Amino acid sequence: MGKRRIHILALGGTIATRPDASGVMQMGAGADDLVKAVPLLGELAEIEAETVSRVGSHSLGFDQIHALAAKIKASTADGFVVTQGTDTLEETSFLLDLLVERDVPVIVTAAMRNPALTSPDGPGNLLAAVRVACDPWIRAHARELGVLAVMLDEVYAAADAIKAHPTRLNAFAAPQTGPLAALVEDRVVPLGKPVRDAMTATRRALGTVSGERQPVALLWMGLDEPGALVEAILASSDRLGYRGAVIGAMGGGHVPERVAALAGKLAQAMPVVVAARAGGGPLLRHTYGGPASEIELLKAGLTWGGRLHPLKARVLLETCLRAGLDRAVIAGVFAAWG
Ligand code: ASP
């Protein structure tokens, strides 16, 4: 068999930075530059390089990822590697997974150490991502694996990958499940397959997603949170522009008492999803009683985010709202996540 045609789509991020005259890193490199820096890529695959943007991933938007998904859906390549910044990779890869269902690998990678530092990880991560895209086991199970994140010789499911450290080289992890595969020497070693029932049910409910951006507030709970932001949303005639909210809740689905009453009111105005601020993981449903317990929040009409990390729950809620799903369907979508 000839070489696989792998389409590299570069969005920007640390992997694509260059030092300016003062030594500060600026966006600059395009897809061709990234490919040129890793000559070995040409031995693994036939590479098509496309520069989509040159922005930090903190400046990406939902619309840009929808446009990227459309590009991937329209391309006849044998696999895709998206390079971007690490800051939002856990969100963009999950959004791509919601939008793109292909029989070929779709992989997102990035770099923690910039090209001006000793031992930058960008070239190695790009090589690893292309190796994963060409690997027979990954290719045979591409649809079951969904969108993958490849960082520091580990392969993660997009639904599970999180950026767990702001600066370290080994910043990525999948705390709930672990990696799906590891790279060693020139091999990809399979370790497991993700449970995709929730993703399958979600995609079925979403259908083909089009529509306008739907701002979703992320309300992170902390000790003694007074709930003033929830009050401000409730007091505003257009809800400050928000169409939904995600609460990063304490423990198994709890908020401070004062917030519980306000969150119930907010849930009458818009879908409010509860996800674990501990970093995702299934929430409780019927263990604790009392005014700010999971039992009362569920009774008040809040939607349970299942095992999703609050950032991923926010991506999913935006996508549901954009797709025009009604409240009952949105609740059903999240229920599938545990
Ligand atoms: N701020 C950068 C970005 O997300 C950080 C990185 O790439 O690691 O684009």
Side-chain angles (χ1 to χ4, degrees):
M1 161 143 345
K3 283 184 200 158
R4 302 285 183 185
R5 219 157 34 89
I6 305 298
H7 191 164
I8 296 179
L9 299 134
L11 303 188
T14 289
I15 193 168
T17 52
R18 286 180 177 145
D20 67 16
S22 69
V24 169
M25 301 310 287
Q26 305 282 1
M27 292 302 143
D32 285 333
D33 305 302
L34 300 185
V35 171
K36 247 182 256 149
V38 191
L40 220 51
L41 288 178
E43 288 179 24
L44 291 183
E46 199 185 303
I47 302 290
E48 280 168 25
E50 180 178 353
T51 305
V52 178
S53 58
R54 295 173 200 255
V55 296
S57 73
H58 41 272
S59 298
L60 289 171
F62 282 90
D63 288 348
Q64 279 155 287
I65 304 305
H66 278 263
L68 180 69
K71 250 182 208 300
I72 293 173
K73 283 190 199 169
S75 167
T76 57
D78 298 318
F80 300 87
V81 172
V82 176
T83 63
Q84 65 159 88
T86 58
D87 289 353
T88 58
L89 191 151
E90 61 205 295
E91 293 159 271
T92 56
S93 59
F94 182 57
L95 178 54
L96 277 180
D97 204 9
L98 293 170
L99 302 177
V100 177
E101 190 171 10
R102 296 283 315 253
D103 287 323
V104 296
V106 179
I107 292 157
V108 186
T109 194
M112 288 300 296
R113 288 172 66 81
N114 72 59
L117 294 170
T118 304
S119 60
D121 53 329
N125 284 343
L126 180 57
L127 181 63
V130 171
R131 202 184 286 291
V132 170
C134 296
D135 177 75
W137 182 79
I138 297 280
R139 298 192 63 79
H141 302 287
R143 192 176 279 262
E144 288 165 78
L145 295 169
V147 174
L148 301 170
V150 171
M151 290 294 288
L152 203 59
D153 289 343
E154 288 195 328
V155 181
Y156 305 103
D160 296 306
I162 61 160
K163 184 174 178 179
H165 196 279
T167 54
R168 239 169 31 199
L169 200 53
N170 60 339
F172 280 78
Q176 290 192 60
T177 56
L180 303 178
L183 287 111
V184 60
E185 297 173 332
D186 55 359
R187 319 189 292 284
V188 175
V189 180
L191 299 173
K193 286 195 202 149
V195 176
R196 298 276 288 171
D197 304 42
M199 179 56 83
T200 304
T202 297
R203 283 199 184 134
R204 203 175 304 133
L206 287 171
T208 303
V209 183
S210 58
E212 308 237 305
R213 186 168 163 264
Q214 303 286 324
V216 174
L218 180 57
L219 303 163
W220 203 264
M221 293 299 113
L223 184 70
D224 212 13
E225 165 61 46
L229 293 175
V230 183
E231 275 176 327
I233 296 173
L234 286 168
S236 154
S237 58
D238 74 340
R239 310 296 181 208
L240 300 179
Y242 289 116
R243 300 285 172 263
V246 169
I247 293 180
M250 296 148 160
H254 306 138
V255 298
E257 259 179 51
R258 188 174 150 62
V259 178
L262 293 166
K265 283 191 195 140
L266 191 63
Q268 285 164 24
M270 61 177 68
V272 179
V273 173
V274 174
R277 75 169 193 177
L283 298 168
L284 300 172
R285 287 175 183 272
H286 49 71
T287 297
Y288 293 101
S293 65
E294 74 277 6
I295 293 175
E296 289 309 313
L297 292 178
L298 278 163
K299 268 195 213 150
L302 279 81
T303 299
W304 245 216
R307 70 177 192 81
L308 290 173
H309 187 289
L311 289 174
K312 298 191 196 268
R314 181 174 168 276
V315 167
L316 179 53
L317 182 54
E318 206 274 354
T319 310
C320 288
L321 292 167
R322 192 183 277 250
L325 304 190
D326 66 28
R327 291 283 288 263
V329 177
I330 291 175
V333 165
F334 277 96
W337 289 89

